[in-house]
Amino acid sequence: ALAVPRQVFIPKPEKFNAPSFIKAVKRNKITSAFLLPSEGQKVYEYCISHNQTLPPSLRTIFFGSAPVTRSFLDKIASIGVSDISLYGLYGATEMLIISVVSAHQKKNYTGKGDLLGTPFSSVKISIMKDDEITIAGPQMYDRYLGEIEKAKWFYSGDLGAVDAQGNIVMLGR
């Protein structure tokens, strides 16, 4: 939205409220949203309890800041317009967004673990001997407060692998 001329709606800093979110989407004809999975769960529960779907203007939802499971994306898809696009973002405070995976890709994934998608071209992924996902790239944090030297790699604490197609797959934490 910042790189191209788009209108952006930023809600007031308050606790997330599903009815307020739905009203804002309708009123402002919002087409894309970023939600935490916990917020998406509240929207799902609100829509189910009020026997309604997401407003038709909402065409794309990105979820991040927590694992985004296939079953969760299926629930959200059930309250959306038929061709709503849903995505899970994999990232960290230290690295911002590392990869994106669509609900369609997750639904078709049959391997072991949680598919997180292909890393962006600027992101370097390394799987350490203990299966920890380590990450480097130009958007990586400079250092933690009080550190002198810049970190070369970010150790995510996530266990994973890179499959034959280059996708990151989380195997645990």
Side-chain angles (χ1 to χ4, degrees), residues 76-167:
I76 299 300
S78 75
I79 60 166
V81 292
S82 63
D83 59 347
I84 192 167
S85 297
L86 303 173
Y87 297 93
L89 306 176
Y90 176 58
T93 301
E94 297 85 353
M95 187 63 169
L96 300 177
I97 301 172
I98 297 163
S99 63
V100 177
V101 64
S102 71
H104 178 75
Q105 290 170 300
K106 274 204 185 238
K107 184 175 250 178
N108 292 324
Y109 180 71
T110 58
K112 180 182 172 188
D114 184 21
L115 183 69
L116 302 177
T118 305
F120 289 106
S121 61
S122 63
V123 175
K124 296 177 188 147
I125 299 289
S126 177
I127 306 298
M128 302 308 287
K129 289 180 187 176
D130 59 358
D131 293 334
E132 184 174 8
I133 300 170
T134 58
I135 304 147
Q139 71 269 32
M140 194 168 84
Y141 73 122
D142 183 52
R143 66 183 64 91
Y144 290 119
L145 184 64
E147 286 184 348
I148 296 170
E149 201 171 303
K150 179 180 178 175
K152 306 249 187 289
W153 287 85
F154 168 63
Y155 291 75
S156 69
D158 297 329
L159 304 178
V162 176
D163 71 10
Q165 291 75 37
N167 291 302

